[in-house]
Amino acid sequence: MLMTNVFLREKTLPIGIFDSGVGGLSILREVQKLLPNESFIFIADQKNVPYGEKTEEELNEIVSRIVKYFLKKKVKMIVIACNTATVYTIENIRSKYAIPIAGTVPAIKVLSKVTKTGKVGILATPATSKSLYLAQLCKIHAPNLEIFKVGATHLEEMIEDGNLERNEINDNLEYHIRKLINFGVDAISLGCTHYPFLRDKIEKITGPGVAIVDSGFAVSKQVKKVLEEKDLLSELKNQEDIYYTTGNEKRFRRVAEELLGKKIKHVKKIKI
Ligand code: DGL
């Protein structure tokens, strides 16, 4: 009887999900869509954005601190809603903590399904695009594709400021997407969780001949699979989602509401 109660309680715990900033919201919204009975604690580690400019050692220290924070808050699972943090830390972090951890990586398998020419692109942060981890994923999941990786400088920082209609963002995107188009790709994977918020703009630049894919749905399916396997799926949403930032909470709320197109209730600044 006691066992059953403990188990039930564990199922109702929230899922912890984090990124360096607002990009992780593109993953959160997909997980929320697939798993409406779950509750979430989202952390935007905006004090440390951009992760793409940190060393591997710094990233591991930052991610360790966030994981410990989530453990104190009692979450049942952690989602790294950031490609950069995933490719540089997930193996190390999984080896240190027993809690289930899902990561985010560019959707490479989907690329091989949608391409007709065999030439595909990955748009990511400079750090992700040059990582060995990503190179290995490409080798394993798409050995027959010609994959062109472009590291987009400063794009995630611009998205952090909100107001996506700025020329500065259009110019930056145009520059990086043109590079991929010039390689002749017919599919592009968005390898940074900030970029799905620019999907319309990207599609305008590429035109209809290039498929744009992101990782949100794949991550949400992975989260569901892990929770199912561990018998941890919640049957009823039992608490409101909470949004934490290590940066400025007013700015986070303004930009998050702009990106999600809805009001969010609980935003708090924290120190980690
Ligand atoms: N959203 C993060 C990613 O997916 C951005 C990384 C950064 O802060 O540079 O890689």
Side-chain angles (χ1 to χ4, degrees):
M1 187 61 188
L2 184 66
M3 275 297 283
T4 320
N5 283 341
V6 169
F7 221 54
L8 270 181
R9 216 175 50 217
E10 227 191 310
K11 282 184 180 193
T12 63
L13 293 177
I15 296 171
I17 167 163
F18 76 95
D19 178 34
S20 58
V22 291
L25 296 170
S26 72
I27 300 293
L28 176 68
R29 70 179 173 186
E30 291 292 331
V31 187
Q32 283 171 325
K33 216 189 287 170
L34 190 69
L35 301 172
N37 290 334
E38 300 296 335
S39 308
F40 298 89
I41 299 180
F42 180 83
I43 296 179
D45 185 19
Q46 294 177 304
K47 192 181 132 214
N48 289 311
V49 68
Y51 278 180
E53 279 172 27
K54 303 273 185 242
T55 64
E56 185 164 350
E57 207 184 334
E58 287 169 332
L59 280 176
N60 273 286
E61 203 211 296
I62 288 169
V63 173
S64 267
R65 268 192 274 136
I66 294 175
V67 169
K68 281 186 201 146
Y69 189 87
F70 274 136
L71 293 177
K72 258 199 259 157
K73 288 274 166 197
K74 301 228 180 308
V75 298
K76 62 183 174 186
M77 173 173 188
I78 293 172
V79 182
I80 308 180
C82 172
N83 294 263
T84 312
T86 302
V87 299
Y88 286 102
T89 74
I90 197 162
E91 286 179 341
N92 175 41
I93 295 296
R94 276 193 179 133
S95 72
K96 283 193 184 149
Y97 301 94
I99 185 161
I101 299 176
T104 305
V105 290
I108 298 167
K109 285 188 213 163
V110 186
L111 282 180
S112 34
K113 280 189 198 140
V114 297
T115 182
K116 293 191 178 80
T117 61
K119 282 188 183 185
V120 299
I122 297 177
L123 185 73
T125 62
T128 298
S129 82
K130 64 174 192 238
S131 75
L132 277 179
Y133 192 94
L134 179 60
Q136 263 161 347
L137 287 181
C138 292
K139 234 192 237 167
I140 296 168
H141 297 298
N144 301 321
L145 295 187
E146 220 179 321
I147 302 182
F148 300 91
K149 295 176 219 152
V150 166
T153 37
H154 305 307
L155 199 47
E156 74 276 31
E157 292 153 80
M158 291 179 189
I159 299 166
E160 283 295 306
D161 288 334
N163 186 9
L164 301 188
E165 296 314 316
R166 279 172 299 147
N167 285 341
E168 184 187 33
I169 294 185
N170 290 329
D171 295 348
N172 184 307
L173 257 188
E174 179 83 28
Y175 174 77
H176 291 107
I177 294 292
R178 282 274 160 236
K179 275 193 189 173
L180 287 171
I181 293 175
N182 291 341
F183 286 126
V185 306
D186 70 347
I188 298 175
S189 166
L190 305 182
C192 169
T193 54
H194 284 70
Y195 304 164
F197 293 114
L198 301 177
R199 175 184 275 271
D200 290 353
K201 292 174 185 298
I202 294 171
E203 285 174 344
K204 242 192 214 160
I205 299 170
T206 61
V210 179
I212 308 298
V213 302
D214 69 60
S215 314
F217 184 56
V219 175
S220 66
K221 276 197 304 187
Q222 179 61 17
V223 173
K224 185 172 182 214
K225 185 170 163 239
V226 171
L227 293 178
E228 266 167 1
E229 277 168 9
K230 308 226 173 261
D231 196 16
L232 282 175
L233 273 176
S234 166
E235 276 135 38
L236 193 69
K237 188 172 174 81
N238 67 341
Q239 66 186 65
E240 284 185 297
D241 301 337
I242 303 172
Y243 299 80
Y244 291 128
T245 174
T246 58
N248 178 304
E249 74 260 48
K250 276 198 190 133
R251 180 166 168 253
F252 173 82
R253 179 189 289 280
R254 173 180 59 81
V255 179
E257 290 184 346
E258 178 192 336
L259 298 180
L260 294 174
K262 66 172 189 187
K263 294 273 171 212
I264 54 178
K265 255 193 190 167
H266 309 286
V267 179
K268 250 198 229 166
K269 180 180 169 113
I270 48 164
K271 275 194 186 153
I272 296 183

